[in-house]
Amino acid sequence: MSDELNRGLGFLSLSKEQQDTFHPSPLPVLTRIEAGECVYKWTAYPLQDPKTGKITEYWSPWKRLQLGTMEIPGFKELRIRYRNVGAGAGRPQEFARARNAVTEQWNPMSSLLKAEFLKPVWGFAGRTSGQRKFDDPAHPQEQANVFFIGGDFQLCIPNLTSDWIKKL
């Protein structure tokens, strides 16, 4: 086993589904994330899917990342920036759902999951693409005119296992 997961990973090596989660501009950047760095996501699921044993590849950085001229906010920056939406008490999950374009059918996003890398990993950082809010082929007209804009930054780190990441 290599001492760095996904070293040399090419964007075209990602599945079409993974590629399509990114907005095409600016281009996603292959990024090295050090051991000890943390990531988070809003989810209703555990770190490891009990049915498949897989660990999701989609995350947000816990601490702010600077990649050339691209600044990716961390959890603290997003909480400060989006704490007051529409003059009410904003919920970061609502912001995360719209800006990460996560349909309600995929994930209720009911709690925060924080994880730490045990070894260095490589993954792509970029802006999320948008998509329909309600993604159910059995009900194509349900909320068909509602669209999550996407546009927040995400990390896509394929091939994660418990050898590389642990829940905090």
Side-chain angles (χ1 to χ4, degrees), residues 12-155:
L12 296 178
S13 298
L14 297 178
S15 70
K16 177 155 175 35
E17 180 179 318
Q18 290 167 327
Q19 292 175 31
D20 288 348
T21 67
F22 286 101
H23 193 277
S25 177
L27 291 172
V29 176
L30 184 61
T31 305
R32 184 177 193 264
I33 303 168
E34 300 293 337
E37 290 294 318
C38 295
V39 288
Y40 76 96
K41 67 184 327 162
W42 291 101
T43 187
Y45 305 109
L47 177 67
Q48 208 164 2
D49 184 321
K51 294 177 186 170
T52 65
K54 292 184 179 183
I55 295 176
T56 180
E57 62 254 0
Y58 300 106
W59 296 92
S60 296
W62 186 256
K63 290 183 181 175
R64 181 179 82 74
L65 288 177
Q66 188 73 39
L67 303 174
T69 60
M70 187 168 52
E71 180 180 318
I72 301 176
F75 184 74
K76 178 182 174 183
E77 289 82 15
L78 289 174
R79 290 286 307 235
I80 291 169
R81 187 171 180 189
Y82 298 102
R83 69 176 174 246
N84 190 358
V85 178
R91 291 184 55 212
Q93 295 97 317
E94 293 168 0
F95 162 78
R97 181 175 301 287
R99 293 297 306 261
N100 289 312
V102 177
T103 71
E104 294 163 15
Q105 293 76 40
W106 288 347
N107 190 340
M109 298 177 71
S110 55
S111 63
L112 186 69
L113 174 63
K114 184 177 178 184
E116 177 182 10
F117 291 106
L118 303 171
K119 303 175 196 176
V121 299
W122 291 81
F124 282 93
R127 292 194 178 272
T128 58
S129 64
Q131 74 166 333
R132 288 181 50 204
K133 177 181 178 183
F134 198 81
D135 186 22
D136 184 354
H139 302 93
Q141 298 307 313
E142 182 101 17
Q143 298 182 14
N145 62 339
V146 179
F147 193 80
F148 286 135
I149 61 173
D152 196 15
F153 287 96
Q154 71 175 358
L155 300 171

Side-chain angles (χ1 to χ4, degrees), residues 3 33-37 115-121 160-168:
D3 59 341
I33 303 168
E34 300 293 337
E37 290 294 318
E116 177 182 10
F117 291 106
L118 303 171
K119 303 175 196 176
V121 299
L160 286 173
T161 67
S162 57
D163 292 332
W164 299 98
I165 192 169
K166 71 174 182 177
K167 179 184 174 188
L168 294 179

